[in-house]
Amino acid sequence: EPEVTQTPSHQVTQMGQEVILRCVPISNHLYFYWYRQILGQKVEFLVSFYNNEISEKSEIFDDQFSVERPDGSNFTLKIRSTKLEDSAMYFCASTLAGGTYNEQFFGPGTRLTVL
Amino acid sequence: KNQVEQSPQSLIILEGKNCTLQCNYTVSPFSNLRWYKQDTGRGPVSLTIMTFSENTKSNGRYTATLDADTKQSSLHITASQLSDSASYICVVSALGYTNAGKSTFGDGTTLTVKP
């Protein structure tokens, strides 16, 4: 069964460093998403991406964040200068299309720890 | 501000019993409501997706209801199994470019099924 994969599973970094979280969406999916979940809190939407452009983004997704689809398979989230409060689980997701009934598939997440 | 409130926060039931989880939302303009199951340390898995015109939708032992007038939804689990132990998250999306974007997540209900 096709699945969304994410690497690494756990990333530890020093405050101020740049990190890149990687995701491989399901191969024929066209819409991609990033979410984060701070420990003990609810999942929060960050950004959606289609046709090599950001479709929507939340208030959390400020200039420190960027997304990219550098090739035909990877979808990355970059945090330029990490802060302590960026420590969270980051989930990637993908859908075949943008319509309502397109099931959204989530990856297993990357746990980011900023020291 | 868009909000999704879930109740109860946690629930313990015996294997084989039924249970109902609640979700109230204030998301506008409403696009769709999704229920997800999230195992600890894993990404959410889609259970049901409903638009405003749908009152009920089933997926195996899971049945979701939606009252768009009162902005309430419920998820009913029948004949619970030990593997149903997880967090159940209600997610409401506002109309946007992608119908899974601009999502507001609830805090989830933690369900524990005991033998």
Side-chain angles (χ1 to χ4, degrees):
Chain A
E1 185 174 326
E3 60 182 8
V4 176
T5 60
Q6 291 185 242
T7 55
S9 57
H10 192 188
Q11 172 95 41
V12 181
T13 189
Q14 295 291 326
M15 188 170 57
Q17 294 296 304
E18 173 183 288
V19 295
I20 297 176
L21 310 183
R22 291 182 166 78
C23 167
V24 178
I26 293 173
S27 61
N28 62 339
H29 284 192
L30 301 176
Y31 291 77
F32 315 112
Y33 313 83
W34 282 102
Y35 299 84
R36 81 173 184 189
Q37 185 173 29
I38 296 170
L39 188 63
Q41 298 186 22
K42 63 181 71 178
V43 176
E44 299 171 290
F45 168 73
L46 293 178
V47 66
S48 60
F49 190 86
Y50 168 70
N51 199 27
N52 285 318
E53 289 183 344
I54 290 174
S55 307
E56 301 148 314
K57 59 183 181 179
S58 69
E59 295 171 351
I60 302 167
F61 195 87
D62 60 23
D63 292 343
Q64 293 285 71
F65 293 89
S66 63
V67 289
E68 193 178 34
R69 189 158 162 81
D71 52 43
S73 59
N74 289 286
F75 178 52
T76 63
L77 174 69
K78 181 192 289 186
I79 308 175
R80 288 188 180 80
S81 179
T82 50
K83 301 185 281 253
L84 294 176
E85 53 264 39
D86 292 327
S87 293
M89 181 77 93
Y90 288 81
F91 293 106
C92 171
S94 69
T95 56
L96 178 61
T100 297
Y101 293 105
N102 283 274
E103 185 176 351
Q104 194 174 33
F105 292 83
F106 281 77
T110 291
R111 179 164 297 285
L112 176 65
T113 301
V114 182
L115 302 176
Chain B
K1 182 181 176 181
N2 292 334
Q3 287 188 311
V4 175
E5 302 290 338
Q6 291 187 242
S7 62
Q9 188 175 33
S10 61
L11 183 62
I12 301 173
I13 61 173
L14 293 176
E15 188 179 11
K17 297 297 186 183
N18 305 335
C19 66
T20 301
L21 315 179
Q22 301 291 341
C23 173
N24 297 335
Y25 63 90
T26 55
V27 174
S28 182
F30 175 82
S31 172
N32 63 85
L33 185 146
R34 302 161 181 247
W35 282 95
Y36 289 89
K37 177 185 179 186
Q38 184 178 24
D39 292 313
T40 303
R42 304 297 303 271
V45 174
S46 179
L47 296 176
T48 62
I49 305 170
M50 291 189 291
T51 65
F52 71 93
S53 60
E54 296 174 288
N55 299 120
T56 185
K57 182 161 281 189
S58 291
N59 177 3
R61 294 181 295 103
Y62 302 103
T63 299
T65 65
L66 175 64
D67 186 333
D69 291 330
T70 61
K71 297 182 170 56
Q72 295 179 325
S73 176
S74 66
L75 180 70
H76 187 73
I77 304 173
T78 59
S80 60
Q81 301 175 357
L82 297 179
S83 58
D84 292 334
S85 296
S87 178
Y88 290 83
I89 305 173
C90 175
V91 183
V92 183
S93 294
L95 283 174
Y97 187 79
T98 61
N99 282 311
K102 290 188 179 293
S103 304
T104 302
F105 284 67
D107 285 316
T109 291
T110 300
L111 175 66
T112 303
V113 180
K114 293 195 169 183

